[in-house]
PDB file of all heavy atoms in Angstrom:
ATOM      1  N   PHE A 123      53.063 106.351  88.229  1.00  0.00           N
ATOM      2  CA  PHE A 123      52.811 105.962  89.626  1.00  0.00           C
ATOM      3  C   PHE A 123      53.859 104.966  90.112  1.00  0.00           C
ATOM      4  O   PHE A 123      54.436 105.126  91.177  1.00  0.00           O
ATOM      5  CB  PHE A 123      51.410 105.353  89.753  1.00  0.00           C
ATOM      6  CG  PHE A 123      51.196 104.615  91.044  1.00  0.00           C
ATOM      7  CD1 PHE A 123      51.037 105.308  92.232  1.00  0.00           C
ATOM      8  CD2 PHE A 123      51.162 103.224  91.080  1.00  0.00           C
ATOM      9  CE1 PHE A 123      50.854 104.632  93.439  1.00  0.00           C
ATOM     10  CE2 PHE A 123      50.975 102.543  92.267  1.00  0.00           C
ATOM     11  CZ  PHE A 123      50.816 103.242  93.455  1.00  0.00           C
ATOM     12  N   ALA A 124      54.121 103.930  89.315  1.00  0.00           N
ATOM     13  CA  ALA A 124      54.993 102.842  89.759  1.00  0.00           C
ATOM     14  C   ALA A 124      56.449 103.040  89.385  1.00  0.00           C
ATOM     15  O   ALA A 124      57.278 102.167  89.642  1.00  0.00           O
ATOM     16  CB  ALA A 124      54.487 101.508  89.200  1.00  0.00           C
ATOM     17  N   TRP A 132      49.107 102.579  78.088  1.00  0.00           N
ATOM     18  CA  TRP A 132      50.056 103.568  78.605  1.00  0.00           C
ATOM     19  C   TRP A 132      51.418 103.489  77.907  1.00  0.00           C
ATOM     20  O   TRP A 132      52.392 104.051  78.397  1.00  0.00           O
ATOM     21  CB  TRP A 132      50.252 103.365  80.109  1.00  0.00           C
ATOM     22  CG  TRP A 132      49.072 103.770  80.929  1.00  0.00           C
ATOM     23  CD1 TRP A 132      48.143 102.944  81.513  1.00  0.00           C
ATOM     24  CD2 TRP A 132      48.665 105.100  81.266  1.00  0.00           C
ATOM     25  NE1 TRP A 132      47.198 103.683  82.176  1.00  0.00           N
ATOM     26  CE2 TRP A 132      47.495 105.008  82.051  1.00  0.00           C
ATOM     27  CE3 TRP A 132      49.186 106.365  80.974  1.00  0.00           C
ATOM     28  CZ2 TRP A 132      46.836 106.125  82.549  1.00  0.00           C
ATOM     29  CZ3 TRP A 132      48.526 107.483  81.469  1.00  0.00           C
ATOM     30  CH2 TRP A 132      47.369 107.359  82.246  1.00  0.00           C
ATOM     31  N   VAL A 229      45.439 102.153  98.955  1.00  0.00           N
ATOM     32  CA  VAL A 229      44.504 102.883  98.084  1.00  0.00           C
ATOM     33  C   VAL A 229      44.017 101.956  96.985  1.00  0.00           C
ATOM     34  O   VAL A 229      44.812 101.344  96.261  1.00  0.00           O
ATOM     35  CB  VAL A 229      45.174 104.136  97.488  1.00  0.00           C
ATOM     36  CG1 VAL A 229      44.246 104.807  96.482  1.00  0.00           C
ATOM     37  CG2 VAL A 229      45.535 105.110  98.611  1.00  0.00           C
ATOM     38  N   LEU A 230      42.709 101.856  96.884  1.00  0.00           N
ATOM     39  CA  LEU A 230      42.056 101.038  95.869  1.00  0.00           C
ATOM     40  C   LEU A 230      41.657 101.938  94.698  1.00  0.00           C
ATOM     41  O   LEU A 230      40.944 102.928  94.886  1.00  0.00           O
ATOM     42  CB  LEU A 230      40.820 100.371  96.473  1.00  0.00           C
ATOM     43  CG  LEU A 230      39.936  99.533  95.540  1.00  0.00           C
ATOM     44  CD1 LEU A 230      40.706  98.346  94.999  1.00  0.00           C
ATOM     45  CD2 LEU A 230      38.684  99.078  96.291  1.00  0.00           C
ATOM     46  N   ALA A 231      42.120 101.604  93.499  1.00  0.00           N
ATOM     47  CA  ALA A 231      41.817 102.411  92.310  1.00  0.00           C
ATOM     48  C   ALA A 231      40.970 101.618  91.333  1.00  0.00           C
ATOM     49  O   ALA A 231      41.015 100.382  91.289  1.00  0.00           O
ATOM     50  CB  ALA A 231      43.111 102.858  91.628  1.00  0.00           C
ATOM     51  N   PHE A 270      46.980 112.649  78.208  1.00  0.00           N
ATOM     52  CA  PHE A 270      46.679 112.470  79.622  1.00  0.00           C
ATOM     53  C   PHE A 270      46.371 113.840  80.211  1.00  0.00           C
ATOM     54  O   PHE A 270      47.181 114.762  80.109  1.00  0.00           O
ATOM     55  CB  PHE A 270      47.865 111.838  80.345  1.00  0.00           C
ATOM     56  CG  PHE A 270      47.653 111.636  81.821  1.00  0.00           C
ATOM     57  CD1 PHE A 270      46.628 110.824  82.281  1.00  0.00           C
ATOM     58  CD2 PHE A 270      48.482 112.250  82.738  1.00  0.00           C
ATOM     59  CE1 PHE A 270      46.430 110.628  83.647  1.00  0.00           C
ATOM     60  CE2 PHE A 270      48.301 112.055  84.101  1.00  0.00           C
ATOM     61  CZ  PHE A 270      47.267 111.242  84.558  1.00  0.00           C
ATOM     62  N   VAL A 383      47.618 108.270  97.596  1.00  0.00           N
ATOM     63  CA  VAL A 383      47.358 107.537  96.354  1.00  0.00           C
ATOM     64  C   VAL A 383      47.922 106.124  96.393  1.00  0.00           C
ATOM     65  O   VAL A 383      47.651 105.320  95.503  1.00  0.00           O
ATOM     66  CB  VAL A 383      47.927 108.281  95.126  1.00  0.00           C
ATOM     67  CG1 VAL A 383      47.210 109.586  94.923  1.00  0.00           C
ATOM     68  CG2 VAL A 383      49.437 108.488  95.252  1.00  0.00           C
ATOM     69  N   CYS A 384      48.697 105.816  97.424  1.00  0.00           N
ATOM     70  CA  CYS A 384      49.351 104.499  97.504  1.00  0.00           C
ATOM     71  C   CYS A 384      48.942 103.781  98.782  1.00  0.00           C
ATOM     72  O   CYS A 384      48.236 102.776  98.734  1.00  0.00           O
ATOM     73  CB  CYS A 384      50.866 104.678  97.440  1.00  0.00           C
ATOM     74  SG  CYS A 384      51.798 103.143  97.605  1.00  0.00           S
ATOM     75  N   ILE A 395      48.849  96.593  96.048  1.00  0.00           N
ATOM     76  CA  ILE A 395      48.245  97.158  94.840  1.00  0.00           C
ATOM     77  C   ILE A 395      48.605  96.326  93.615  1.00  0.00           C
ATOM     78  O   ILE A 395      47.754  96.050  92.761  1.00  0.00           O
ATOM     79  CB  ILE A 395      48.689  98.629  94.670  1.00  0.00           C
ATOM     80  CG1 ILE A 395      47.989  99.515  95.707  1.00  0.00           C
ATOM     81  CG2 ILE A 395      48.396  99.133  93.248  1.00  0.00           C
ATOM     82  CD1 ILE A 395      48.559 100.907  95.800  1.00  0.00           C
ATOM     83  N   GLU A 399      45.199  95.002  91.729  1.00  0.00           N
ATOM     84  CA  GLU A 399      44.665  95.755  90.599  1.00  0.00           C
ATOM     85  C   GLU A 399      44.945  95.035  89.283  1.00  0.00           C
ATOM     86  O   GLU A 399      46.059  94.592  89.021  1.00  0.00           O
ATOM     87  CB  GLU A 399      45.219  97.185  90.596  1.00  0.00           C
ATOM     88  CG  GLU A 399      44.744  97.977  91.800  1.00  0.00           C
ATOM     89  CD  GLU A 399      45.207  99.425  91.804  1.00  0.00           C
ATOM     90  OE1 GLU A 399      45.884  99.855  90.849  1.00  0.00           O
ATOM     91  OE2 GLU A 399      44.899 100.130  92.782  1.00  0.00           O
ATOM     92  N   VAL A 401      44.322  96.430  86.185  1.00  0.00           N
ATOM     93  CA  VAL A 401      44.697  97.349  85.120  1.00  0.00           C
ATOM     94  C   VAL A 401      45.872  98.197  85.591  1.00  0.00           C
ATOM     95  O   VAL A 401      46.037  98.445  86.788  1.00  0.00           O
ATOM     96  CB  VAL A 401      43.520  98.270  84.708  1.00  0.00           C
ATOM     97  CG1 VAL A 401      42.395  97.458  84.115  1.00  0.00           C
ATOM     98  CG2 VAL A 401      43.014  99.093  85.891  1.00  0.00           C
ATOM     99  N   GLN A 402      46.688  98.616  84.647  1.00  0.00           N
ATOM    100  CA  GLN A 402      47.865  99.420  84.993  1.00  0.00           C
ATOM    101  C   GLN A 402      47.456 100.867  85.235  1.00  0.00           C
ATOM    102  O   GLN A 402      46.665 101.439  84.492  1.00  0.00           O
ATOM    103  CB  GLN A 402      48.900  99.355  83.877  1.00  0.00           C
ATOM    104  CG  GLN A 402      50.245  99.929  84.286  1.00  0.00           C
ATOM    105  CD  GLN A 402      51.243  99.942  83.152  1.00  0.00           C
ATOM    106  OE1 GLN A 402      50.870 100.002  81.991  1.00  0.00           O
ATOM    107  NE2 GLN A 402      52.526  99.891  83.473  1.00  0.00           N
ATOM    108  N   ARG A 403      48.018 101.475  86.277  1.00  0.00           N
ATOM    109  CA  ARG A 403      47.711 102.879  86.579  1.00  0.00           C
ATOM    110  C   ARG A 403      48.413 103.833  85.616  1.00  0.00           C
ATOM    111  O   ARG A 403      47.906 104.930  85.374  1.00  0.00           O
ATOM    112  CB  ARG A 403      48.125 103.214  88.008  1.00  0.00           C
ATOM    113  CG  ARG A 403      47.284 102.561  89.089  1.00  0.00           C
ATOM    114  CD  ARG A 403      47.548 103.242  90.410  1.00  0.00           C
ATOM    115  NE  ARG A 403      46.875 102.573  91.528  1.00  0.00           N
ATOM    116  CZ  ARG A 403      46.836 103.068  92.756  1.00  0.00           C
ATOM    117  NH1 ARG A 403      47.426 104.227  93.024  1.00  0.00           N
ATOM    118  NH2 ARG A 403      46.224 102.409  93.717  1.00  0.00           N
ATOM    119  N   GLY A 404      49.593 103.463  85.118  1.00  0.00           N
ATOM    120  CA  GLY A 404      50.320 104.389  84.262  1.00  0.00           C
ATOM    121  C   GLY A 404      50.640 105.683  84.988  1.00  0.00           C
ATOM    122  O   GLY A 404      51.195 105.677  86.090  1.00  0.00           O
ATOM    123  N   TRP A 405      50.255 106.806  84.384  1.00  0.00           N
ATOM    124  CA  TRP A 405      50.500 108.103  85.020  1.00  0.00           C
ATOM    125  C   TRP A 405      49.384 108.501  85.980  1.00  0.00           C
ATOM    126  O   TRP A 405      49.521 109.488  86.696  1.00  0.00           O
ATOM    127  CB  TRP A 405      50.684 109.183  83.953  1.00  0.00           C
ATOM    128  CG  TRP A 405      52.060 109.214  83.369  1.00  0.00           C
ATOM    129  CD1 TRP A 405      52.961 108.197  83.283  1.00  0.00           C
ATOM    130  CD2 TRP A 405      52.710 110.349  82.790  1.00  0.00           C
ATOM    131  NE1 TRP A 405      54.123 108.609  82.674  1.00  0.00           N
ATOM    132  CE2 TRP A 405      53.997 109.938  82.350  1.00  0.00           C
ATOM    133  CE3 TRP A 405      52.328 111.667  82.558  1.00  0.00           C
ATOM    134  CZ2 TRP A 405      54.890 110.796  81.725  1.00  0.00           C
ATOM    135  CZ3 TRP A 405      53.221 112.526  81.925  1.00  0.00           C
ATOM    136  CH2 TRP A 405      54.487 112.097  81.521  1.00  0.00           C
ATOM    137  N   TYR A 406      48.279 107.768  85.993  1.00  0.00           N
ATOM    138  CA  TYR A 406      47.257 108.062  87.005  1.00  0.00           C
ATOM    139  C   TYR A 406      47.853 107.827  88.392  1.00  0.00           C
ATOM    140  O   TYR A 406      48.489 106.803  88.638  1.00  0.00           O
ATOM    141  CB  TYR A 406      46.021 107.174  86.829  1.00  0.00           C
ATOM    142  CG  TYR A 406      45.138 107.197  88.056  1.00  0.00           C
ATOM    143  CD1 TYR A 406      44.433 108.365  88.394  1.00  0.00           C
ATOM    144  CD2 TYR A 406      45.054 106.107  88.916  1.00  0.00           C
ATOM    145  CE1 TYR A 406      43.665 108.413  89.545  1.00  0.00           C
ATOM    146  CE2 TYR A 406      44.284 106.145  90.062  1.00  0.00           C
ATOM    147  CZ  TYR A 406      43.581 107.306  90.374  1.00  0.00           C
ATOM    148  OH  TYR A 406      42.825 107.358  91.525  1.00  0.00           O
ATOM    149  N   SER A 407      47.662 108.771  89.282  1.00  0.00           N
ATOM    150  CA  SER A 407      48.225 108.820  90.633  1.00  0.00           C
ATOM    151  C   SER A 407      49.743 108.937  90.627  1.00  0.00           C
ATOM    152  O   SER A 407      50.406 108.723  91.649  1.00  0.00           O
ATOM    153  CB  SER A 407      47.768 107.648  91.504  1.00  0.00           C
ATOM    154  OG  SER A 407      48.213 106.408  91.045  1.00  0.00           O
ATOM    155  N   TYR A 437      39.761 107.494  85.805  1.00  0.00           N
ATOM    156  CA  TYR A 437      40.242 106.780  86.980  1.00  0.00           C
ATOM    157  C   TYR A 437      39.761 107.454  88.259  1.00  0.00           C
ATOM    158  O   TYR A 437      39.547 108.668  88.302  1.00  0.00           O
ATOM    159  CB  TYR A 437      41.772 106.748  86.992  1.00  0.00           C
ATOM    160  CG  TYR A 437      42.376 106.044  85.801  1.00  0.00           C
ATOM    161  CD1 TYR A 437      42.538 106.708  84.586  1.00  0.00           C
ATOM    162  CD2 TYR A 437      42.776 104.716  85.880  1.00  0.00           C
ATOM    163  CE1 TYR A 437      43.077 106.065  83.484  1.00  0.00           C
ATOM    164  CE2 TYR A 437      43.325 104.068  84.787  1.00  0.00           C
ATOM    165  CZ  TYR A 437      43.470 104.745  83.587  1.00  0.00           C
ATOM    166  OH  TYR A 437      44.004 104.103  82.495  1.00  0.00           O
TER     167      TYR A 437
END
Side-chain angles (χ1 to χ4, degrees):
F123 165 74
W132 288 103
V229 174
L230 176 63
F270 179 61
V383 295
C384 177
I395 287 168
E399 295 183 2
V401 296
Q402 192 184 27
R403 290 195 186 188
W405 279 26
Y406 165 69
S407 64
Y437 299 82

